[in-house]
Amino acid sequence: MDKHDSPPPECPVARGLAAVGDAWSMLILRDAHRGLTRFDQFRRNLGIAPTMLTKRLAALTQDGLLARRLYSERPPREEYVLTEAGRDFLPVLMLLGAWARRHRGGGLARFVDAETGAEIEPVAIDAVTGVPLGGRPIRMRAPDGA
């Protein structure tokens, strides 16, 4: 087996997918970024079975992308709010959406700035070189100290 056939065990893509690698989790995060916070809002908007939603919300909370917050004491009710890690996931969702618009057909919604109404065209840029990602070959190397 060639050393390039499988990702290294410290692969950041594999670790990220372990936290949010299913479609329901990504759609929950999408809706959380749109302002949804409550179980019934997610269930109604996604059409997801309550048992599946319970599992996905628990996993996203355990993985630190969502946090539970009490919004009613009587009766006790909790909502789900984005954490810093959850907020940091928005560019991933936007890039996935931009990829889908380019490669999965027309008729898809567009991202627009909520304040100006201007269309947003997500791109990924290497912060060190300023070069757009995807135009040059990449490779992975072991983390420092490994």
Side-chain angles (χ1 to χ4, degrees), residues 97 101 107-111:
R101 285 185 50 74
L108 298 176
R110 299 178 181 277
F111 296 112

Side-chain angles (χ1 to χ4, degrees), residues 22-138:
D22 70 273
W24 286 124
S25 292
M26 288 193 226
L27 292 172
I28 290 166
L29 288 170
R30 176 205 64 193
D31 283 358
H33 278 282
R34 294 176 57 224
L36 278 62
T37 60
R38 298 185 181 170
F39 186 93
D40 286 341
Q41 291 174 324
F42 290 118
R43 187 179 54 77
R44 190 171 41 255
N45 197 56
L46 296 171
I48 184 174
T51 54
M52 178 60 74
L53 180 56
T54 298
K55 289 178 186 176
R56 299 315 323 138
L57 288 170
L60 289 167
T61 301
Q62 181 178 349
D63 287 331
L65 287 107
L66 294 175
R68 293 187 338 204
R69 180 174 67 192
L70 193 66
Y71 72 86
S72 171
E73 291 188 21
R74 288 184 170 219
R77 299 264 192 251
E78 293 180 319
E79 63 184 351
Y80 297 86
V81 295
L82 291 162
T83 62
E84 181 180 357
R87 289 186 300 274
D88 283 349
F89 198 72
L90 179 60
V92 177
L93 292 170
M94 293 183 73
L95 286 168
L96 180 61
W99 176 85
R101 285 185 50 74
R102 280 192 301 276
H103 300 288
R104 292 295 174 249
L108 298 176
R110 299 178 181 277
F111 296 112
V112 295
D113 184 291
E115 293 177 10
T116 67
E119 187 171 339
I120 297 170
E121 182 67 33
V123 295
I125 304 289
D126 176 17
V128 175
T129 64
V131 174
L133 299 179
R136 296 164 65 174
I138 64 164

